[in-house]
């Protein structure tokens, strides 16, 4: 007790008297009153402001929380770079599959026709007249030619003026409907083409079974023709937006990309779902580039190929491309932020796409690379190629010997571009696969039994010939010619892991390894190689 404060009354050795108890209680009550007055005097405005200005706190008390927030900021800053790396690689994959239709496919069709014509001269050494890959090439070439001539009956000028006469709101609704229809028809179109290829190449015991190819062929022709018309309407609507006076339609169509952010950002995404969306964005961006090319060709034709008009279109083209890139960056940045996905996941996506390219170059590859891109991204090059050929042939008139020489030189340039692009892509793909440590999936393919024969009973001394072999110097050689197996060998299909989980395993496939079946089912949802066109719209399908 301080000297200025009174002490409480001292208690005696015995029981305190009532007078002493009264004095003690009075002392404590008076002391509490003094403290209360002192605390009220301390709550002044100046002391409150002083406490607010000098109040401190320590962030290290919640270090984990703030470290996580900082990592989220770093992830958002890395998203544009990592996303554009994936987009750049994916766009060149689509370009490689697209150039294949114009360059190597005609040559392969010519070689298949030459083999078919000269086959009687060499005798029938095999039961097959043509190899399965040659049959598929012939079907693709015939579909392209038929659909090209069918497109001549579609009047582009009449379609342009019909669309231009509609109001802005109607055109906005039409463009949105066309985008949805394009995604839906793409998801079903490759199934039609795959059904045609398998029906035409599957082993048949009776000649009457070959008649089943005819309805599948007409379905494929109808699909490619309708899809080409759909893309043509999209290009025409975009052309009307470019040629509108106040550019209001173009602005509305660009704002539609930002509506996409609202529909995707606030949904729960897993790593596989984000892979689906990334593939869809790659396909959409490449398709938009081709549509912009078609719009520029049509406009340059109307202005007699005046180079000055190209600079008039250039700002609008840059605006459309910039808006598409900005929307993709913002969308993926917030999706990764809200779902706690790191930016390194895009490197895994790129390695998965590279794995498809490398596996398609194997000796026992089960599909062509262009079809693999169609399954993975939903990009089907045939309808887009038909439309581009139709627009180019109608916009550019070839007359004279010099013009035909220029066409031949241009075709040789396309072949050179295709070969150069394929070589660079194959080299980068091998690098990405090696960095992702996915070589084991290439050198140890999974053996899947044919339907009707249990896989567990076919375990023998079968050894698959690998498509990528390593020589003594450590270099990797890639071959692409399939080896035809003999009839008396077990019917086994060598598949890569990219299609290992495309469908749900049935009861026969479960007999392969009963001990590790639970592990496979647990890891199936985490394997990026299972994602294909069936979920190309970006929504999860369980």
């Amino acid at each position: 007790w301080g000297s200025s404060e009174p002490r409480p009354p001292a208690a005696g050795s015995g029981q305190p008297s009532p007078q002493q108890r009264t004095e003690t209680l009075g002392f404590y009550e008076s002391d509490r009153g003094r403290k209360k007055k002192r605390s009220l005097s301390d709550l002044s405005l100046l002391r409150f402001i002083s406490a607010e200005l000098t109040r401190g706190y320590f962030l290290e008390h919640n270090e984990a929380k703030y470290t996580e927030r900082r990592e989220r900021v770093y992830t958002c800053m890395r998203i544009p770079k990592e996303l554009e790396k994936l987009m750049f690689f994916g766009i060149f994959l689509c370009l490689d599959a697209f150039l294949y239709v114009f360059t190597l496919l005609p040559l392969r069709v010519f070689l298949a026709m030459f083999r078919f014509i000269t086959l009687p001269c060499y005798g029938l050494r095999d039961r097959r007249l043509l190899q399965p890959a040659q049959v598929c090439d012939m079907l693709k070439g015939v579909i392209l030619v038929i659909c090209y001539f069918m497109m001549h009956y579609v009047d582009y000028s009449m379609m342009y003026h019909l669309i231009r006469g509609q109001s802005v709101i109607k055109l906005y609704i039409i463009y949105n409907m066309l985008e949805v229809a394009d995604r839906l028809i793409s998801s079903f179109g490759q199934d039609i083409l795959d059904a045609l290829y398998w029906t035409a190449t599957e082993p048949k015991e009776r000649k009457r079974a070959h008649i089943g190819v005819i309805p599948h062929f007409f379905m494929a022709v109808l699909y490619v023709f309708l899809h080409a018309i759909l893309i043509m309407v999209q290009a025409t609507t975009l052309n009307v937006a470019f040629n509108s006076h106040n550019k209001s339609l173009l602005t509305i169509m660009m704002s539609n990309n930002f509506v996409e952010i609202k529909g995707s950002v606030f949904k729960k995404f897993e790593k596989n779902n984000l892979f689906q969306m990334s593939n869809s964005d790659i396909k959409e961006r490449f398709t938009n580039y081709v549509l912009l090319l078609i719009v520029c060709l049509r406009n340059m034709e109307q202005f007699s190929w005046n180079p000055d008009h190209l600079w008039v279109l250039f700002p609008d083209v840059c605006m459309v491309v910039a808006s598409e890139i900005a929307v993709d960056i913002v969308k993926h940045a917030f999706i990764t932020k809200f779902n706690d996905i790191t930016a390194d996941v895009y490197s895994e996506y790129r390695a998965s796409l590279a794995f498809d390219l490398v596996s398609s170059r194997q000796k026992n590859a089960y599909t062509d690379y262009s079809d693999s891109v169609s399954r993975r991204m939903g990009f089907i090059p045939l309808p887009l190629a038909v439309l581009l050929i139709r627009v180019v042939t109608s916009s550019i008139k070839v007359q004279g010997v010099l013009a035909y020489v220029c066409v031949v030189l241009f075709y040789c340039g396309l072949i050179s571009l295709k070969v150069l692009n394929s070589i660079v892509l194959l080299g980068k793909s091998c690098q990405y696969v090696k960095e992702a440590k996915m070589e084991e999936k290439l050198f140890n393919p999974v053996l899947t039994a044919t339907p009707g024969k249990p896989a567990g009973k076919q375990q023998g001394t079968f050894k698959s010939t690998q498509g990528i072999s390593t020589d003594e110097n450590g270099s990797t050689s890639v071959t692409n010619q399939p080896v035809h197996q003999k009839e008396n060998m077990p019917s086994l299909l060598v598949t890569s892991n990219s299609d290992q989980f495309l469908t749900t395993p049935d009861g026969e496939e479960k007999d392969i390894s009963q001990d590790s079946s639970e592990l496979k089912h647990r890891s199936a949802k985490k394997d990026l190689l299972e994602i294909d066109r069936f979920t190309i719209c970006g929504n999860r399908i369980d």
Side-chain angles (χ1 to χ4, degrees), residues 134-352:
Q134 294 175 330
V135 174
C136 294
D137 294 335
M138 291 283 292
L139 291 174
K140 291 178 183 178
V142 173
I143 290 174
L144 278 176
V145 173
I146 293 177
C147 292
Y148 169 73
F149 285 106
M150 291 175 65
M151 289 295 293
H152 282 281
Y153 294 94
V154 181
D155 193 349
Y156 184 87
S157 300
M158 183 186 67
M159 183 182 298
Y160 176 83
H161 291 289
L162 181 64
I163 294 176
R164 189 171 186 177
Q166 306 299 323
S167 61
V168 175
I169 300 300
K170 284 185 179 180
L171 292 179
Y172 174 71
I173 296 175
I174 289 174
Y175 193 78
N176 289 337
M177 293 174 61
L178 291 175
E179 284 190 347
V180 175
D182 179 61
R183 293 188 178 186
L184 293 178
I185 197 172
S186 297
S187 63
F188 188 64
Q190 188 61 34
D191 292 335
I192 296 177
L193 295 177
D194 287 341
L196 172 63
Y197 301 152
W198 174 241
T199 306
T201 58
E202 67 175 339
K204 300 177 180 62
E205 297 180 357
R206 298 178 302 176
K207 294 183 179 180
R208 185 177 300 179
H210 293 276
I211 302 178
V213 180
I214 298 177
H216 286 280
F217 177 77
F218 283 111
M219 288 177 59
V221 171
L222 181 63
Y223 154 70
V224 174
F225 177 67
L226 293 179
H227 199 177
I229 292 180
L230 180 66
I231 301 175
M232 187 176 186
V233 177
Q234 279 185 293
T236 306
T237 307
L238 190 62
N239 195 7
V240 171
F242 269 74
N243 294 330
S244 59
H245 297 288
N246 52 4
K247 306 293 182 181
S248 59
L249 179 59
L250 185 61
T251 305
I252 293 176
M253 292 170 62
M254 289 173 54
S255 65
N256 186 40
N257 294 330
F258 293 91
V259 177
E260 184 181 354
I261 298 178
K262 176 184 176 182
S264 59
V265 165
F266 301 104
K267 292 182 180 179
K268 180 175 177 57
F269 277 84
E270 296 180 357
K271 188 168 69 171
N272 290 353
N273 305 121
L274 185 59
F275 187 37
Q276 301 159 15
M277 175 173 286
S278 302
N279 290 333
S280 179
D281 292 338
I282 293 172
K283 175 251 180 184
E284 183 179 355
R285 189 179 293 190
F286 181 80
T287 304
N288 288 337
Y289 291 162
V290 179
L291 292 180
L292 290 175
L293 176 62
I294 293 175
V295 170
C296 292
L297 288 176
R298 298 298 300 180
N299 279 274
M300 293 296 292
E301 179 197 5
Q302 296 299 324
F303 286 88
S304 301
W305 301 96
N306 186 7
D308 296 335
H309 185 68
L310 184 62
W311 296 107
V312 176
L313 296 174
F314 187 74
D316 295 334
V317 173
C318 293
M319 187 169 54
V320 172
V321 173
S323 65
E324 187 73 23
I325 296 176
V327 167
D328 289 340
I329 291 176
V330 173
K331 179 175 64 176
H332 284 265
F334 280 98
I335 286 177
T336 53
K337 178 182 182 297
F338 293 151
N339 296 276
D340 294 331
I341 301 176
T342 61
D344 297 331
V345 73
Y346 292 100
S347 299
E348 300 179 19
Y349 298 161
R350 189 175 56 191
S352 299

Side-chain angles (χ1 to χ4, degrees), residues 38-70:
R38 190 192 311 167
S39 61
L40 290 176
S41 62
D42 292 342
L43 295 178
S44 62
L45 180 61
L46 293 179
R47 289 183 65 88
F48 175 77
I49 295 176
S50 176
E52 288 295 321
L53 293 177
T54 59
R55 179 172 53 88
Y57 48 87
F58 300 93
L59 298 181
E60 59 266 19
H61 292 167
N62 200 354
E63 182 179 356
K65 175 183 176 181
Y66 290 105
T67 302
E68 180 184 359
R69 298 296 174 86
R70 184 175 62 183

